[in-house]
Amino acid sequence: MARNKYDIDETLEAGFDFGQLKRLAKYVGPYKKDMIKAIVIMLVSSALSMLTPRFFMTIMDDYIPNKNITGIVFLSLLTMVIAIFICVSLKVKIILTNRVGQNVIHALRRDLFVHLQELPFSYYDDRPHGKIQVRVVNYVNNLSDLLSNGIVNTITDLCSLLFIIVFMLTINVKLALVCMCGIPILAVLIWTVKKKQRRAWQIESNKQSNLNAYIAESLNGIRVTQSFVREETNQNIFNQLSSDYKSAWMNAVRYNMMLSPIVDTISVLTTSMIYVLGINWMLGGEGNITAGVLIAFTGYISRFWNPITTLASFYNSLLTSISYLERIFETIDEPVTVKDREDAVDMPPIQGEVEFKEVDFAYDDGIKRLDKVSFKVKKGESYAIVGPTGAGKTTIINLLSRFYNISSGEITIDGIDINGVTIRSLRKQMGVMLQDSFIFSGSIMDNIRYGNREASDEEVIVAAKTVCAHDFIMEMEQGYDTQVNERGSRLSQGQRQLISFARALLANPKILILDEATSSIDTETEMMLQEGLLKLLKGRTSFIIAHRLSTIKNADCILYIDQGQIKEMGNHDELMEKKGEYYNLYLSQYSFLAS
């Protein structure tokens, strides 16, 4: 998936391979019994429906001239029984195919979502989330008709077409050939528009993706939009994206709509030819053509072009689905760059000694964010990381949690290279509170319990009390059972951070990482929190990133990071005595606070 924003179209890194349809077929494989049942039922009903025109021919040419009332009644009743059977068969087919289709869609969406869960932070860093979401929801949903009806209908219609041709040939070869003379013309027209049609649907999927990306971005930033009175500007952007999508959709549909009138026109022309030539041959005594034969052919010719129309519709649906399918499989094929090695083992119970050895790191842009970073943390020590914005502070803790792969060097915990252990076993023993205090929709209790699903209610409450969140939670209408919205919009930023803090504490990690954990907490709450922090940090190796230096004065060691390098290292008193970068930073902040 190409990196872009909402106003830049995506480009496929590889052209579509029809072999991917085989890949889609693997999702259908587990439900082949239902598919076979539906196909058999439809084939039987299709074969029986072919008898009706034959019955009419028999009635016209034999039973009516011979006044065979019994035969007429019998064939009429038999026709009615066949009609009832076809209706029941259609109902059963709809149930079976929709069940198969929805099961396949569920499996496809599940695999897509599971893979998205495994992709590293780097995948999401500069990709609009709306363009990712549209693949999981809209694109997968657009495959529904293809999977629920297209496959079965195509197989049964192909067989029905074969049945019809056989029946027509057994009645009259000349009329059968007249009926089929339009197929080559249709085939040439389909082949002519194929490439343009696929390209049109690719453009449509791009515009749909752009629109979805902008909607997601706008909803996430609605407070900023209203604060800066950007509603009219955003509306103009939305209208332009929506207009682009409408134009792309109309263009794509134009190609789809071409086939149906073409098929209808060819059908009308061949039907007219059947009547003109058939009547002439009948009047001239050629070809053994009777009124019953013409009536039978009239019934068959409509049946002949119906499956062709359905097949043309399936072809349209296939080309439409291909434009979505290639995007879905492109996402599923996105490599998981941060993953377990084949020889990875579970991380033993962590004691807490951490060491960075000559660690280098650069993002995809190639610019170094860390340059030969080395330090060692003993078990139970607290290390604070400070420095200017963009210095590499958050990068250090992201590498320790293996959210990214290091470029070179080594990171060890208790002497074990973290690249050699499974990611799950590593992260389960670490508690991370990132700058973005994300709150999920649900109760406050569930949000705190997110990192430890087996924790009791009492343990949740103890964690909340430790981080000074208990009082404000109890003031809410339902206490810990209060439902909060997605991203915690009902809570203040400080309240969201305290809940996230309790969540990290409840996980009972051996290594605790706090990234700006107190940045949105007022000074009074922070003073209350300090006692809880001391209890929390006791016996745990901890890394604390903070711009508010008053929160890290008691750290065992402070690392001053700038331009990806450790410029100074020591405790607060030692660094103040050096009167270097940390000293200047502290004084500038202290003077600001004092003023």
Side-chain angles (χ1 to χ4, degrees):
M1 178 177 172
R3 293 188 177 89
N4 52 70
K5 55 195 186 78
Y6 65 80
D7 57 350
I8 300 177
D9 289 342
E10 301 170 85
T11 56
L12 283 172
E13 297 177 4
F16 180 80
D17 179 6
F18 272 92
Q20 291 195 44
L21 290 176
K22 295 181 180 178
R23 189 173 174 183
L24 179 63
K26 292 180 180 178
Y27 284 89
V28 182
Y31 313 102
K32 60 183 179 183
K33 289 184 178 179
D34 280 346
M35 294 291 284
I36 292 172
K37 288 178 184 177
I39 291 170
V40 170
I41 289 172
M42 292 309 296
L43 287 178
V44 172
S45 64
S46 177
L48 290 175
S49 69
M50 297 300 108
L51 296 174
T52 304
R54 191 88 183 203
F55 292 165
F56 290 157
M57 184 182 72
T58 302
I59 291 172
M60 291 292 296
D61 290 345
D62 186 9
Y63 290 174
I64 291 178
N66 296 319
K67 299 181 180 180
N68 187 347
I69 304 300
T70 303
I72 294 173
V73 172
F74 174 75
L75 289 182
S76 299
L77 291 174
L78 191 55
T79 300
M80 183 178 66
V81 171
I82 290 174
I84 294 172
F85 177 83
I86 291 173
C87 290
V88 174
S89 298
L90 183 61
K91 179 180 179 180
V92 174
K93 172 252 183 182
I94 291 173
I95 293 173
L96 290 173
T97 54
N98 277 280
R99 184 167 65 196
V100 171
Q102 290 306 309
N103 283 334
V104 171
I105 285 175
H106 170 72
L108 191 61
R109 183 179 285 122
R110 177 199 61 214
D111 288 354
L112 186 57
F113 183 77
V114 168
H115 189 69
L116 288 171
Q117 298 286 297
E118 296 174 348
L119 290 174
F121 281 10
S122 57
Y123 179 79
Y124 300 96
D125 284 340
D126 47 7
R127 286 174 168 86
H129 291 181
K131 290 194 176 187
I132 300 172
Q133 180 181 340
V134 75
R135 299 181 180 218
V136 182
V137 182
N138 301 53
Y139 289 1
V140 175
N141 284 344
N142 285 328
L143 298 176
S144 178
D145 186 60
L146 174 69
L147 294 168
S148 297
N149 298 303
I151 297 174
V152 171
N153 286 348
T154 300
I155 295 174
T156 55
D157 285 336
L158 282 172
C159 293
S160 296
L161 195 58
L162 181 61
F163 292 155
I164 294 169
I165 292 173
V166 170
F167 271 89
M168 287 194 302
L169 289 173
T170 58
I171 295 175
N172 190 281
V173 175
K174 292 174 67 174
L175 289 178
L177 293 176
V178 171
C179 184
M180 293 186 286
C181 68
I183 293 180
I185 301 174
L186 180 62
V188 170
L189 292 172
I190 290 175
W191 183 260
T192 302
V193 301
K194 180 185 67 171
K195 289 184 178 180
K196 292 182 179 180
Q197 188 175 359
R198 178 184 174 234
R199 178 58 186 157
W201 281 109
Q202 282 184 329
I203 294 173
E204 185 273 344
S205 69
N206 284 340
K207 301 307 180 185
Q208 182 182 173
S209 180
N210 292 347
L211 181 60
N212 199 79
Y214 187 70
I215 291 173
E217 179 181 298
S218 298
L219 294 179
N220 287 333
I222 191 65
R223 288 176 175 80
V224 179
T225 295
Q226 294 182 358
S227 298
F228 286 90
V229 198
R230 279 267 305 189
E231 293 91 341
E232 185 175 348
T233 302
N234 287 8
Q235 181 179 338
N236 292 334
I237 295 173
F238 174 84
N239 287 340
Q240 182 60 53
L241 292 172
S242 182
S243 178
D244 291 343
Y245 171 65
K246 180 188 72 173
S247 298
W249 189 86
M250 292 296 291
N251 184 54
V253 168
R254 179 168 62 89
Y255 285 105
N256 274 28
M257 295 297 104
M258 287 174 61
L259 284 180
S260 182
I262 289 173
V263 172
D264 289 342
T265 301
I266 295 175
S267 174
V268 170
L269 289 175
T270 52
T271 302
S272 301
M273 291 173 63
I274 288 290
Y275 278 119
V276 172
L277 295 176
I279 291 174
N280 284 332
W281 289 336
M282 182 175 66
L283 294 176
E286 300 178 27
N288 193 29
I289 297 175
T290 64
V293 169
L294 281 179
I295 290 175
F297 258 88
T298 303
Y300 281 128
I301 198 168
S302 62
R303 285 172 169 81
F304 176 78
W305 286 104
N306 281 340
I308 290 180
T309 303
T310 304
L311 290 172
S313 298
F314 172 75
Y315 177 78
N316 282 333
S317 177
L318 183 63
L319 286 181
T320 304
S321 300
I322 282 173
S323 66
Y324 300 124
L325 191 62
E326 55 195 357
R327 300 291 186 185
I328 293 169
F329 283 139
E330 182 194 36
T331 305
I332 292 178
D333 291 337
E334 186 73 27
V336 180
T337 55
V338 180
K339 59 182 179 180
D340 297 336
R341 294 191 326 210
E342 291 184 3
D343 60 346
V345 297
D346 285 346
M347 184 72 189
I350 290 177
Q351 301 302 312
E353 183 181 279
V354 176
E355 185 173 7
F356 276 58
K357 302 177 183 178
E358 298 288 312
V359 173
D360 288 342
F361 175 75
Y363 291 104
D364 291 343
D365 57 14
I367 301 175
K368 272 193 175 183
R369 296 304 195 273
L370 294 183
D371 185 13
K372 305 298 180 185
V373 171
S374 298
F375 62 89
K376 186 173 183 178
V377 184
K378 295 180 181 178
K379 173 185 175 181
E381 286 186 333
S382 60
Y383 265 54
I385 306 174
V386 301
T389 301
K393 304 184 297 295
T394 300
T395 301
I396 289 177
I397 63 172
N398 282 340
L399 295 179
L400 180 60
S401 302
R402 283 203 65 195
F403 293 136
Y404 299 90
N405 289 321
I406 62 176
S407 302
S408 64
E410 187 179 50
I411 302 175
T412 64
I413 296 179
D414 301 332
I416 301 172
D417 185 354
I418 63 172
N419 284 328
V421 300
T422 60
I423 294 174
R424 181 178 179 82
S425 66
L426 173 68
R427 292 178 184 167
K428 280 184 71 69
Q429 300 187 66
M430 301 174 66
V432 181
M433 181 177 171
L434 302 174
Q435 287 175 294
D436 183 12
S437 303
F438 195 93
I439 301 297
F440 297 89
S441 58
S443 69
I444 293 178
M445 179 76 74
D446 287 339
N447 266 281
I448 296 176
R449 193 185 275 129
Y450 191 83
N452 183 0
R453 305 304 297 176
E454 298 180 357
S456 65
D457 291 354
E458 290 73 20
E459 290 172 323
V460 171
I461 294 172
V462 169
K465 287 181 176 178
T466 302
V467 301
C468 304
H470 178 73
D471 291 343
F472 86 79
I473 292 174
M474 293 306 297
E475 290 174 0
M476 303 188 78
E477 63 269 21
Q478 292 181 308
Y480 285 86
D481 293 324
T482 301
Q483 298 293 311
V484 290
N485 302 327
E486 181 184 354
R487 301 191 69 87
S489 58
R490 294 185 58 193
L491 305 170
S492 70
Q493 178 63 25
Q495 290 173 332
R496 291 200 294 270
Q497 282 196 305
L498 289 175
I499 290 175
S500 298
F501 208 50
R503 178 195 297 162
L505 170 61
L506 190 62
N508 192 27
K510 299 297 183 181
I511 296 177
L512 182 64
I513 296 172
L514 306 177
D515 187 352
E516 295 295 343
T518 60
S519 61
S520 298
I521 298 175
D522 60 80
T523 305
E524 182 180 351
T525 303
E526 182 190 343
M527 294 176 62
M528 297 170 56
L529 185 60
Q530 289 301 321
E531 184 179 350
L533 275 174
L534 291 175
K535 294 179 182 178
L536 172 61
L537 300 179
K538 186 176 181 180
R540 291 188 174 91
T541 302
S542 57
F543 293 85
I544 307 169
I545 296 177
H547 285 101
R548 191 184 295 179
L549 301 184
S550 58
T551 62
I552 50 95
K553 287 177 62 176
N554 296 324
D556 294 310
C557 184
I558 299 172
L559 303 179
Y560 184 90
I561 307 290
D562 192 12
Q563 296 179 349
Q565 295 180 329
I566 299 177
K567 301 295 186 180
E568 295 179 359
M569 180 187 300
N571 61 36
H572 174 75
D573 294 334
E574 291 171 346
L575 294 180
M576 290 298 290
E577 288 180 8
K578 287 184 178 180
K579 295 187 177 181
E581 298 291 344
Y582 177 80
Y583 173 83
N584 294 330
L585 180 64
Y586 186 82
L587 285 186
S588 64
Q589 190 173 110
Y590 178 80
S591 299
F592 171 75
L593 291 173
S595 63

